Coordinates of all heavy atoms in Angstrom, one line a residue:
Chain B
W11 N -3.8 5.7 -30.5 CA -2.7 6.0 -29.6 C -2.1 4.7 -29.1 O -0.9 4.5 -29.1 CB -3.2 6.9 -28.4 CG -2.1 7.4 -27.5 CD1 -1.2 8.4 -27.7 CD2 -1.9 7.0 -26.1 NE1 -0.4 8.6 -26.6 CE2 -0.9 7.8 -25.6 CE3 -2.5 6.1 -25.3 CZ2 -0.4 7.7 -24.3 CZ3 -2.1 6.0 -24.0 CH2 -1.1 6.8 -23.5
M12 N -3.0 3.7 -28.7 CA -2.5 2.4 -28.3 C -1.7 1.7 -29.4 O -0.7 1.0 -29.1 CB -3.7 1.6 -27.8 CG -4.4 2.1 -26.5 SD -3.3 2.0 -25.1 CE -3.4 0.3 -24.6
A14 N -0.1 3.1 -31.8 CA 1.2 3.8 -32.0 C 2.1 3.4 -30.9 O 3.3 3.2 -31.2 CB 1.0 5.3 -32.0
A29 N 12.8 -7.4 -22.0 CA 11.6 -7.9 -21.5 C 11.4 -9.4 -21.8 O 10.3 -10.0 -21.7 CB 10.4 -7.2 -22.2
E50 N -14.9 10.5 -18.5 CA -15.2 9.2 -18.0 C -13.8 8.5 -17.7 O -12.8 8.9 -18.2 CB -15.9 8.4 -19.1 CG -17.1 8.9 -19.6 CD -18.3 8.7 -18.6 OE1 -18.2 7.8 -17.8 OE2 -19.3 9.5 -18.7
D57 N -1.0 -6.4 -23.4 CA -0.5 -7.7 -23.1 C 1.0 -7.8 -23.5 O 1.4 -7.5 -24.7 CB -1.3 -8.7 -23.9 CG -1.2 -10.1 -23.3 OD1 -0.6 -10.2 -22.2 OD2 -1.6 -11.1 -23.9
K71 N -14.1 -1.9 -18.0 CA -13.6 -2.0 -16.7 C -13.3 -3.5 -16.4 O -12.3 -3.8 -15.8 CB -14.7 -1.5 -15.7 CG -14.4 -1.5 -14.3 CD -15.4 -0.7 -13.5 CE -15.0 -0.6 -12.0 NZ -15.8 -1.4 -11.1
T82 N -3.7 2.1 -11.1 CA -4.8 3.1 -11.2 C -4.2 4.5 -10.7 O -3.4 4.5 -9.8 CB -5.9 2.7 -10.2 OG1 -6.3 1.4 -10.5 CG2 -7.1 3.6 -10.3
K89 N -0.2 11.5 -16.8 CA 0.4 12.4 -17.7 C 1.8 12.7 -17.2 O 2.8 12.7 -18.0 CB -0.4 13.7 -17.9 CG 0.1 14.6 -19.0 CD -0.7 15.8 -19.2 CE 0.0 16.8 -20.1 NZ -0.7 18.1 -20.1
K108 N -1.8 3.6 -7.7 CA -2.1 2.4 -6.9 C -1.7 1.2 -7.8 O -1.9 1.3 -9.0 CB -3.6 2.2 -6.6 CG -4.1 3.4 -5.7 CD -5.6 3.2 -5.5 CE -6.1 4.4 -4.7 NZ -5.6 4.5 -3.3
D128 N 9.7 4.8 -20.8 CA 10.6 5.5 -21.7 C 10.1 5.6 -23.1 O 10.1 6.6 -23.8 CB 11.9 4.8 -21.6 CG 13.1 5.7 -22.0 OD1 13.0 6.8 -21.6 OD2 13.9 5.3 -22.8
R132 N 8.1 8.6 -26.3 CA 8.4 8.9 -27.7 C 7.1 9.0 -28.6 O 7.2 9.4 -29.8 CB 9.2 7.7 -28.3 CG 10.6 7.7 -27.7 CD 11.4 6.6 -28.4 NE 12.3 6.0 -27.4 CZ 12.6 4.7 -27.4 NH1 12.2 3.9 -28.4 NH2 13.4 4.3 -26.5
V133 N 6.0 8.6 -28.1 CA 4.7 8.7 -28.9 C 4.3 10.1 -28.8 O 4.1 10.7 -27.8 CB 3.6 7.8 -28.3 CG1 2.3 7.9 -29.1 CG2 4.1 6.3 -28.2

Side-chain angles (χ1 to χ4, degrees):
Chain B
W11 187 72
M12 292 296 280
E50 301 285 338
D57 201 10
K71 185 169 187 252
T82 307
K89 187 179 167 189
K108 299 176 185 299
D128 200 44
R132 289 182 219 151
V133 178

